[in-house]
Amino acid sequence: MFQCRRVSKMETVDRTTKSRLARTFAKVLHIRQATGVAPADEIHRKTTFREKFKHDVFDADDVDDKLRHKIAKEAFLSKLFATISTVKAAYSQLQFAQSPYDADGIQAADQIVISELKNLSELKQCYLKKQFDELSPEKTQLLAEIQEQKSLIKTYEVFGKKLDSELKLKNSEITFLKEKLEEANRENKGIENRLNSSGLLSVGDNLHLSGLSPNHFISFLRQTTKSIQNFIRLMVNEMELAGWDLDAAVGAIEPGVCFSNPDHICFAFESFVCREMFDGFNNPNFSLWNESLPEQPKSHRFFFERFKQVKSMKTREILVQNPKSAFSRFCSTKYLKLVHPKMETSLFGNLNQRKLVKSGDNPETTFFATFSEMAKRVWLLHCLAFSFEPEASIFQAGKGSRFSEVYMESACEEAFFSPEGSTETDPPVAFTVVPGFKIGKTVIQCQVYLSSS
């Protein structure tokens, strides 16, 4: 019993001790709560949160400042470029006002240039001091864009006025050159009339064999060339109306030739017609190979008398009255050779004209009338060539030949204008347009088209 009571007493002491400790802890906790003192980990958590909040707020403010600064710099650059555009426009106006001289225009443009240069100086100082418009950068940028567009419009207006002025100047130059050309043509016509009156270029009925000179041949050659060109113009017009591809036709006549000007294709057609019409020119019978001249008519006087006889008659009169004459046969032979059946069908829709020519008849068409007039000129030139002693001979330059001022003349002077910096001398011959002639020691140059490579 003694032991049992002892144990009970010990248990009572333990419980009492525990109760005291509990009360002590409660008091401590109560004191902490009353005084507001928090545990160390709680204090650490609160301190970390405050610092993080404060840091986030400062970062947001810093981002806004950078964005505003960036926008302000962009607005500053827009204003800078707009000012430069205004200076450029004013300088263009200043240049334009100098020619023709415009004192008021020069003064106004000069004031604008000075004003904008001052603006540039102010912008430079703002940039160095980093004074940008951060209050209303959007408005500044919009105004700068408007200013730049206005400056561009002014610049284009100046360029437009300059082009108009240059156009007027070119038109006045063209008018002046036309007047000079007309004056030169009148002078040339006067000289030609004086030469004709003196008998140097006239090839009329009063011409005698003893007075025949190369000048008469040159004069008649010019008339023959004009007649050939008249026929070519008519032929090309008919081809265009029939829907021909002229470039393809020229490529078939003179393959591989590069023309410096589209209008120069007419030289290829002229070359083709001359080549066919003058074929056999050095033969006394010309193109009538199967015929022989009458006995004892091969003298130069024979050809001269034939020349005078045919020249004194109208072309159609010869063809109708003498359908079997040498000229009539020459005319039909050349026509059938020059005008291909496919070409005639394309131009006229049938071969009726060709059938009439073959039968010895003469079509009453403008095309054949123009051709027969050309054929008559070529025929007379042949008669005149064989009237000389020794007779005149024909020649032409081969493709790729070197240009010779003695034997050739260029169909267009543009071929001699080489590009700047080019070391090329005279371009080579592409083809002969009109053949040349030799009469004794006199050389009549052939007309050539030079390659424009």
Side-chain angles (χ1 to χ4, degrees), residues 344-396:
E344 188 170 334
T345 303
S346 173
L347 298 183
F348 310 114
N350 53 57
L351 294 175
N352 295 340
Q353 193 165 249
R354 192 177 195 84
K355 292 176 182 178
L356 289 174
V357 173
K358 274 187 175 181
S359 64
D361 206 345
N362 304 290
E364 296 183 6
T365 63
T366 304
F367 186 83
F368 185 78
T370 307
F371 168 82
S372 59
E373 187 62 34
M374 172 188 67
K376 178 185 176 184
R377 295 285 180 179
V378 175
W379 173 260
L380 290 173
L381 189 69
H382 173 265
C383 294
L384 195 61
F386 276 80
S387 299
F388 288 91
E389 189 176 0
E391 61 272 5
S393 60
I394 193 171
F395 70 90
Q396 63 179 2

Side-chain angles (χ1 to χ4, degrees), residues 237-255:
N237 287 338
E238 294 290 346
M239 292 170 70
E240 289 179 334
L241 292 175
W244 277 57
D245 185 346
L246 298 183
D247 292 331
V250 169
I253 297 172
E254 297 292 345

Side-chain angles (χ1 to χ4, degrees), residues 40 107 112 131 159 220 319 415:
Q107 186 176 2
I112 296 175
Q131 296 176 348
F159 286 157
F220 202 81
L319 296 175

